[in-house]
Amino acid sequence: MTSPPLLSAIGGLPADTGETVVEATDVHKSFGRLPVLKGVSLAVRRGEVVVIVGASGSGKTTLIRCLNHLEKIEHGRILVNGHLIGYRERNGKLVEDRERNIARQRQEIGMVFQRFNLFPHLTALGNIIEAPIQVRGQPKAEAVATARALLQRIGLADKESAYPAQLSGGQQQRVAIARALAMRPALMLFDEPTSALDPEMIGEVLEVMRELAREGMTMVVVSHEMGFAREVADRIVMMDDGRIVEEAPPAQFFNAPAQERTRAFLARIIDAREGIPKGQRKGNGP
């Protein structure tokens, strides 16, 4: 029997509020004197899956954290569903918003981290119902019903009473995805969600993400999983030294990248996968 759609557990996607879900314009971010984002602009359409790739230190994680205002930006603006994130306009200038308003804005954005970030003192069920009850004011019975439906759909119905320490890494990450989904977000952000997992656990997390993509969830994913990017992404964004250097559909990105920096990045990945020492590949293309 075919399983019901994953998003049916939360009542489907939120109502459309526009064609563009993410609109980041000329975003700059520094840590002390170190510039990390140097004028990044990115638009993500409703239902689109954008995978961000690049070498370590290129600004990928910083960008995705700025989309949720987990990092403050120094210049530019970020809108999600047409709303400024983290700031409001005053006399033609942007000033940081009140924390209460920022928390309300974040309700539209689900975030899945590298290290799961589950509350260790709460069960799997408790982790999922916490924000809907405390932030959205959802009745507990309704939140529990939604949480149980999500756990059923991600294959963890028998783990609702388990604490994070009793779950494998892959199970914890699936609970983290369910926790984010329970808030009915318009946008899901994934920051290298498989990087902390053992190889045999990666597939179970990626399968949940594939299902979300098939069902039309708008997603921005920072990942080194090139197979996932090739299969699921509508568009791949390559970052280097704090800038976006290339954007393309998967077929073009992998088979005919326009930028030399992208070609070098892909060649390095293939060399690492095939065990070829750095600098010993013959030829110029990946």
Side-chain angles (χ1 to χ4, degrees):
M1 185 173 69
T2 303
S3 298
L6 174 57
L7 294 180
S8 67
I10 58 171
L13 292 168
D16 290 356
T17 57
E19 179 60 27
T20 301
V21 175
V22 177
E23 187 174 0
T25 305
D26 195 26
V27 173
H28 290 252
K29 169 67 182 176
S30 298
F31 292 110
R33 296 183 178 181
L34 176 67
V36 179
L37 299 179
K38 305 173 182 178
V40 173
S41 296
L42 177 70
V44 181
R45 300 185 302 275
R46 186 165 304 282
E48 189 176 23
V49 178
V50 174
V51 176
I52 304 176
V53 303
S56 178
S58 60
K60 310 183 300 298
T61 288
T62 299
L63 173 59
I64 206 170
R65 288 176 63 85
C66 288
L67 295 181
N68 205 12
H69 199 63
L70 293 176
E71 298 289 353
K72 301 176 184 179
I73 63 176
E74 282 105 37
H75 182 76
R77 62 178 57 207
I78 296 171
L79 288 85
V80 174
N81 266 350
H83 306 139
L84 273 171
I85 295 298
Y87 298 89
R88 54 194 171 92
E89 295 208 49
R90 179 191 292 169
N91 299 325
K93 296 182 179 180
L94 293 184
V95 295
E96 190 168 17
D97 210 340
R98 298 174 181 174
E99 187 57 40
R100 181 177 60 185
N101 293 334
I102 294 171
R104 186 165 57 246
Q105 293 163 352
R106 286 189 181 130
Q107 293 180 26
E108 301 182 53
I109 307 170
M111 181 83 177
V112 179
F113 300 88
Q114 297 179 35
R115 292 286 176 179
F116 325 136
N117 285 14
L118 297 178
F119 297 115
H121 65 290
L122 296 179
T123 63
L125 184 74
N127 267 279
I128 297 171
I129 68 174
E130 179 74 5
I133 293 173
Q134 298 300 328
V135 179
R136 284 201 183 276
Q138 192 174 31
K140 183 175 180 180
E142 183 181 328
V144 168
T146 297
R148 284 178 171 155
L150 283 167
L151 286 168
Q152 176 71 36
R153 287 298 296 109
I154 62 173
L156 295 176
D158 61 334
K159 300 293 185 181
E160 72 167 64
S161 298
Y163 289 89
Q166 298 170 314
L167 300 173
S168 70
Q171 290 170 336
Q172 289 185 62
Q173 196 62 296
R174 280 184 281 164
V175 171
I177 294 173
R179 179 178 63 176
L181 288 174
M183 293 292 285
R184 295 198 70 218
L187 169 68
M188 285 286 286
L189 305 176
F190 293 86
D191 182 15
E192 299 191 25
T194 60
S195 64
L197 300 178
D198 293 333
E200 65 270 20
M201 298 176 184
I202 290 173
E204 61 193 45
V205 173
L206 291 181
E207 184 51 40
V208 174
M209 295 171 65
R210 287 188 188 97
E211 186 166 350
L212 287 174
R214 288 193 295 265
E215 294 179 18
M217 174 61 75
T218 308
M219 299 162 60
V220 180
V221 183
V222 172
S223 181
H224 293 295
E225 300 290 341
M226 293 297 123
F228 173 83
R230 186 190 291 269
E231 175 189 353
V232 176
D234 295 296
R235 182 161 41 109
I236 300 178
V237 171
M238 169 77 182
M239 290 192 68
D240 183 55
D241 192 28
R243 297 182 174 89
I244 292 175
V245 296
E246 184 154 0
E247 298 181 58
Q252 178 182 334
F253 184 87
F254 286 105
N255 299 326
Q259 302 299 320
E260 175 56 36
R261 184 67 190 87
T262 307
R263 291 192 289 271
F265 172 75
L266 292 173
R268 237 188 357 261
I269 290 174
I270 293 172
D271 287 353
R273 187 177 63 212
E274 296 177 356
I276 300 173
K278 184 177 180 182
Q280 291 189 19
R281 171 172 288 276
K282 295 181 180 180
N284 297 320

